[in-house]
Amino acid sequence: MAVFRSGLLVLTTPLASLAPRLAPILTSAARLVNDTLYVHLQPGMSLEGPAQPQSSPVQATFEVLDFITHLYAGAKVHRHLDVRILLTNVRTKSAFLPPLPSSVQNLAHPPEVVLTDFQTLDGSQYNPVKQQLERYATSCYSCCPQLASVLLYPDYGSGELPVEPLDVPLPSTIRPASPVARSPKQPVRGYHRGAVGGTFDRLHNAHKVLLSVACILAQEQLVVGVADKDLLKSKLLPELLQPYAERVAHLSEFLVDIKPSLTFDIIPLLDPYGPAGSDPSLEFLVVSEETYRGGMAVNRFRLENGLEELALYQIQLLKDPSHKENEEDKVSSSSFRQRMLGNLLRPPYKRPELPAHLYVIGLTGISGSGKSSIAQRLKGLGAFVIDSDHLGHRAYAPGGPAYQPVVEAFGTDILHKDGIINRKVLGSRVFGNKKQLKKLTDIVWPVIAKLAREEMDQAVAEGKHVCVIDAAMLLEAGWQNMVHEVWTVVIPETEAIRRIVERDGLSESAAQSRLQSQMSGQQLVDQSHVVLSTLWEPHVTQLQVEKAWDLLQKRIPKMPSGP
C-alpha cells in the first residue's frame, strides 16, 4: 500500500458516535500518512448523493472543543504524525462572524491523499463516493494535483463499537470558572480579540489544544506570546530549547494552517504579564491548569491599572501515559527534551587522520557538571578514557614537554622550592588577564593534544574501539578537530555552583567567577553531537549513558575484532 507524506482526513460521523471509533480511525490513517495529517470536521455529511457536498459551518460547542482535545490526545501514540485540526468551518455563536470563505484554502503541506471515515453501504472502495470525496477536498483546500483517495471503512472496523451516540460525554477540555454545570451542546462564545502564551518548544499536541481553543474563541485577532530570554532560565534543559525564531516559525505555520482568517500577532514574552496585562483591546486569555494562577495575576494587574478583567479559559492538561519515572506525567516539551539526552543531534565529523579502528569522543561540560563521572561510566561500558587533567599534570611536571617553555615564559617565581610549577601561583598570574592566559594556553594546549594522540595509539594497542577524551576546555582548545563527536554534560548553573562550593570549598562568588571564565552550557551544546545530564539520581544517569552508548555502537563503523 502506498504511503503519503501529507493527507487530509475528512470526518463525517456525528461526534458522539465518532469518539469511540477515533483510535482505530487514526491508526488506519497513520498507516497511510507519515508526516502531516490535516483533519476536517464535517459531521453528518453524505458522500453518496448526486449533488457535490458543500462545506457547511460546524457550531462551536463545548462538545466540539472536547472532541478536538480527544483527537489530539489520541494522536499522541502516532509520534511520527503532525496532526492539525482545521478550524475554518468551526464557528462560534457571534453576530460579527465573517462568512465561510468561498475560495480554496492553501495549506503548508498540500495533501497527497484524502481519507474519510464515511461508511458506504457495502463497505467497498466505491468509486463514485471516492470521486465525491476528492471533489469535496479540492473545493475546500489546495491539494496535490494527483490526489489519491481512500475510504478507511471497514479497515477501522465497527463490530464491537456502538453505532448509536454514547451517553457518556467526553472529558471536559475547559474547566469551568464557576461550579455551574454546562451542557456539551452549549455554544461557545466568540470574541473579537484574545491572547494565549507559552514556550511552544517542539510544538506538541497539548500546545495544539491550547492554540485551537484560542483560535476558536477569537474571531479577528489572536495575540500569541512566546517565552524568551529571562523566562527561559527556569526551564528544564534550556540548552536544548529550540531558538526563538525556530519556535515562532513552527507556531506561525500551524496557526495559519488551522485558521487563516485570523490576524496573528506573535511576540516575545519577556515578563509574566506580557501584552495580556496591558492591552485594553483584549477580551480573553487561554491558560492551562498550570498557568491558571498566572492568569488570575494578570487580571489583578489589569484591575490595578484600570483595565477590565479578561475572560479566563482554563484548559485541562493532556496526560502522558508513557512518561518515565523522572518525567512529568503530562505531555510536555520538558519530557521531549529529556528524551533527546543521549541522542545524536547532528552528523559526526569525518576524521580520516585519526587511527583507523578508533572512534573518538570528546567529552566536555561546565565545571561541576559531573563530566568525569560520565567518563567513568563510559569506561565501565568499554571505552578507553583519556583524562586531559592528568595529561596537563604530565605536561607541567619537571622534564615534561611544557615545563621549560612555561618557566621561560613566566619566570622562576612560579616554582616551588623543589622546582615543581606552583599551579596556584601560575593560575593567579593568568586569571582575568587574557593576554597572559593566551600565552600559557598557546604553550600547553598543543602539548596536551600531542600527548592525547599518543594515548590514542595506546588505546588501539589495547584493542579498544571507542576512546573518550575527558576535557573541560575541549572546544576552547580546538580539540574538536581530533574527535568524531563532541558530547556535552549539562546542569543548571545554580546546581553547578552548589557542587563547586561543596566539592572545592570555594565561596559562591568564586564558583560563579569560575563558571563565567568558561564557555556556557549553551555555547557547548551548540557545538555538540550528544548531550547528557547528571541532574537526576545516579541510576537515571546510568540509563542515559547506556542509551547513548548503545546508539553509538549502532552508528560507528564496524571495527575488526583485533588491533
Side-chain angles (χ1 to χ4, degrees), residues 11 18 21 40 53 78 117 130 140 150 153 172 175 201 281 285 290 330 363 370 373 379 402 408 436 438 538 555:
L11 294 175
L18 181 57
R21 301 180 190 281
H40 174 85
H78 307 293
D117 63 334
K130 292 178 71 176
C140 297
V150 177
Y153 184 82
S172 174
R175 291 176 70 109
D201 179 48
S281 72
L285 177 64
E290 283 184 333
K330 59 167 185 143
L363 181 66
S373 72
K379 185 177 182 178
E408 287 174 6
Q436 289 289 87
K438 186 175 186 309
R555 67 177 173 266

Side-chain angles (χ1 to χ4, degrees), residues 344-418:
L344 186 69
L345 304 180
R346 51 180 55 85
Y349 298 128
K350 290 183 171 65
R351 297 293 188 218
E353 70 278 11
L354 293 180
H357 303 315
L358 193 66
Y359 200 84
V360 184
I361 304 296
L363 181 66
T364 191
I366 63 172
S367 185
S369 63
K371 171 179 56 64
S372 296
S373 72
I374 296 275
Q376 288 310 302
R377 292 178 189 280
L378 288 167
K379 185 177 182 178
L381 292 170
F384 183 95
V385 174
I386 299 172
D387 183 340
S388 65
D389 278 349
H390 177 67
L391 297 185
H393 285 293
R394 275 175 53 191
Y396 280 114
Y403 179 84
Q404 199 56 41
V406 168
V407 173
E408 287 174 6
F410 292 93
T412 54
D413 56 338
I414 65 164
L415 299 176
H416 285 291
K417 288 179 182 176
D418 57 3

